[in-house]
Amino acid sequence: RLIMPKLEVLENTMTCLNAKVSDLDNKVAHVETRLTEVENSCSFIDEKHEIHTKELKNSQSEVKNLQKACQNLEENMKSLNTEKQNMKSKLIDLESRSMRENLMFYGLQESPNEICEEKVKQFCNEKLKIDASAIKFDRVHRIGGESMKKPRLIVAKFHYYNDRETVRKMAM
């Protein structure tokens, strides 16, 4: 008689323990499933991290190459700007030298189909009292668009600097 109640207690305890073990088995299975999912996620993240690391290294290398190319372009641009300034100075010098033999004549009446060289020689003969027949010009022409208000100026490029100086001094 005493054994029966003890067996019943033991059986209840065993049933309770079996239920707890079964519950623990379910929880362990659930944890194992979650662990597998976490491991898979970590593996995926690790692969992505490696890919991004390689892309980052490639991008850094490309940025360095582009920086070098930019630096070379900047150096070339500085060199070209210096060369441009030198050429500009030389051009101004050449322009100044080429205009050295020029004189401008203002106020000479304009007529259709005129020959500017003859007009300048006539002015030199009549107004400046210089024999202009021996003066040689490279080019003589009017500057600017035609205007009804006043005659355009005439630019005369003397072939000889001394002729230019003679005319200039007599005009003063």
Side-chain angles (χ1 to χ4, degrees):
R1 279 187 172 170
L2 273 167
I3 294 182
M4 280 306 236
K6 284 187 178 183
L7 280 177
E8 253 180 59
V9 170
L10 275 176
E11 191 177 322
N12 286 341
T13 305
M14 280 300 269
T15 304
C16 188
L17 282 175
N18 280 340
K20 286 183 180 180
V21 166
S22 177
D23 187 43
L24 282 174
D25 280 343
N26 288 338
K27 287 182 180 178
V28 166
H30 181 69
V31 166
E32 285 178 348
T33 303
R34 295 283 310 220
L35 178 63
T36 303
E37 289 173 0
V38 167
E39 286 174 342
N40 290 340
S41 293
C42 284
S43 174
F44 175 77
I45 289 172
D46 194 38
E47 287 173 15
K48 289 294 182 184
H49 179 262
E50 285 181 31
I51 290 170
H52 291 300
T53 301
K54 287 178 183 176
E55 288 176 355
L56 179 62
K57 286 180 182 177
N58 290 340
S59 295
Q60 287 172 335
S61 174
E62 192 173 329
V63 165
K64 284 181 183 178
N65 291 338
L66 289 172
Q67 285 174 334
K68 286 178 184 177
C70 260
Q71 188 176 9
N72 289 340
L73 286 174
E74 285 175 356
E75 289 171 5
N76 287 343
M77 201 163 107
K78 286 178 185 176
S79 172
L80 289 172
N81 279 336
T82 302
E83 189 175 331
K84 176 185 161 193
Q85 289 301 321
N86 290 339
M87 291 178 90
K88 195 174 189 179
S89 295
K90 287 179 182 180
L91 179 63
I92 289 170
D93 182 56
L94 285 171
E95 285 177 343
S96 298
R97 289 174 192 262
S98 74
M99 291 188 291
R100 183 174 169 213
E101 286 82 21
N102 290 358
L103 278 182
M104 292 185 276
F105 295 84
Y106 294 89
L108 298 179
Q109 288 304 310
E110 201 167 338
S111 59
N113 299 323
E114 69 184 353
I115 299 173
C116 292
E117 185 173 334
E118 289 178 9
K119 203 159 253 250
V120 169
K121 284 185 177 187
Q122 180 184 359
F123 173 79
C124 289
N125 285 329
E126 293 174 5
K127 301 289 183 181
L128 301 179
K129 307 295 186 220
I130 299 172
D131 180 17
S133 61
I135 294 177
K136 185 176 177 184
F137 295 99
D138 289 338
R139 184 175 52 248
V140 182
H141 59 90
R142 290 201 182 259
I143 292 183
E146 290 187 38
S147 170
M148 296 294 190
K149 295 179 183 173
K150 59 183 181 179
R152 297 176 291 166
L153 70 99
I154 294 177
V155 174
K157 180 172 173 56
F158 290 78
H159 188 73
Y160 298 108
Y161 180 76
N162 289 338
D163 289 343
R164 176 203 173 267
E165 282 300 293
T166 302
V167 171
R168 186 183 67 79
K169 286 178 183 174
M170 292 302 287
M172 293 176 91

